Amino acid sequence: MGAVTTALIAIVAVALGWCTIEIACKPCLEKGREAIDRNLNPDYDPDDDIDTAAAVRALNPDYAEAPAASSAVVKTV
């Protein structure tokens, strides 16, 4: 009977430890699981997600997109 009790206590300890890690690391684990799901999805195209201006702004907050070039024609003499 002692072996069954020891095994039961060990199983409960592992389950509580697992729950503790899941709760403590929830944001990191969710991002990782989403990344794995995206990589395993055959219909996922990573090029569809890319917003280069937003990615650059995330890396460099001072980034400002260059204004569009004017369509005025400059004549040289």
Side-chain angles (χ1 to χ4, degrees):
M1 189 68 174
V4 173
T5 304
T6 303
L8 186 60
I9 291 172
I11 291 170
V12 170
V14 168
L16 288 175
W18 182 274
C19 290
T20 302
I21 291 172
E22 287 284 331
I23 292 169
C25 302
K26 186 173 184 175
C28 180
L29 291 172
E30 285 179 350
K31 288 179 185 176
R33 288 177 180 144
E34 288 172 5
I36 291 170
D37 289 343
R38 276 195 314 266
N39 286 333
L40 294 177
N41 182 359
D43 297 328
Y44 172 70
D45 183 9
D47 294 332
D48 293 342
D49 290 5
I50 298 175
D51 180 8
T52 53
V56 171
R57 275 193 302 277
L59 296 173
N60 183 5
D62 298 331
Y63 172 78
E65 290 185 38
S70 64
S71 60
V73 177
V74 177
K75 293 183 182 180
T76 58
V77 184

